[in-house]
Amino acid sequence: PPPPPPRASIRRQRQMCIRDSYWAVLARPEQDDDTQEQAASTATTERFAVRTGRSQHLVRTADIRWIEAQGYYAALHTGDGSFLLRRSLTRLEDELDPDAFIRIHRSTIVNIKDVRGLKTSDSGSVSVTLTDGTCRNASRSGHRKLRSVLPAAS
């Protein structure tokens, strides 16, 4: 086998790589703050790749009914079952469409179209009933957010 390259040439290659990436960043067209904010606010994830055994399964966001925190994992509950995704709820909340999903508790995000109703207990706590019959507790701030999004009852 050929002898390894001298240490100086490896260092030189790294320096050139860093220099090239630096100039590539500078060569990008500049975007004003409004354009960057619009791009960040409109970027939503359409589907998630989740691992099921040895295979991967694509879960469309439209199929997700609710999401539950389980440690650092998030359990995506759909009509086809539940899938674990290694992502925090905060990151998921940023990736999901805010017009379709709302965080009702520190451990729960629900799909707004799957909310069937709200139920207030005697103690004042609010639970959200979903179309599949699941009941999830809502925090006070989550309850306020949900009330502002749902149409008013007549």
Side-chain angles (χ1 to χ4, degrees):
R7 201 130 175 86
S9 67
I10 293 173
R11 187 176 301 126
R12 177 77 178 135
Q13 287 174 348
R14 287 183 184 153
Q15 289 172 346
M16 289 176 63
C17 183
I18 292 170
R19 186 197 67 204
D20 292 343
S21 60
Y22 172 75
W23 286 109
V25 169
L26 289 180
R28 288 185 197 150
E30 282 191 35
Q31 295 180 344
D32 57 351
D33 292 337
D34 294 337
T35 308
Q36 288 175 349
E37 288 175 16
Q38 281 179 337
S41 66
T42 58
T44 59
T45 304
E46 294 297 318
R47 56 187 158 194
F48 296 102
V50 294
R51 188 170 286 243
T52 53
R54 292 186 175 181
S55 62
Q56 289 213 345
H57 184 77
L58 290 176
V59 177
R60 293 183 18 207
T61 56
D63 297 338
I64 298 172
R65 293 183 176 162
W66 58 287
I67 304 170
E68 169 187 28
Q70 292 184 356
Y72 186 75
Y73 288 87
L76 309 177
H77 298 277
T78 67
D80 298 330
S82 298
F83 304 95
L84 283 179
L85 180 66
R86 187 166 170 78
R87 205 162 298 168
S88 68
L89 279 193
T90 303
R91 185 169 163 204
L92 274 175
E93 188 178 17
D94 292 338
E95 293 178 7
L96 293 169
D97 182 10
D99 295 331
F101 290 89
I102 191 164
R103 190 164 187 168
I104 61 166
H105 193 272
R106 66 187 293 189
S107 64
T108 308
I109 297 174
V110 296
N111 192 332
I112 296 170
K113 72 174 178 59
D114 285 315
V115 174
R116 187 185 331 158
L118 302 174
K119 184 177 175 183
T120 307
S121 69
D122 294 336
S123 63
S125 64
V126 175
S127 64
V128 178
T129 306
L130 302 175
T131 53
D132 63 355
T134 305
C135 288
R136 301 298 298 172
N137 289 330
S139 63
R140 286 190 300 258
S141 61
H143 175 234
R144 280 193 295 270
K145 285 193 286 187
L146 199 55
R147 282 244 190 243
S148 67
V149 173
L150 292 177
S154 50

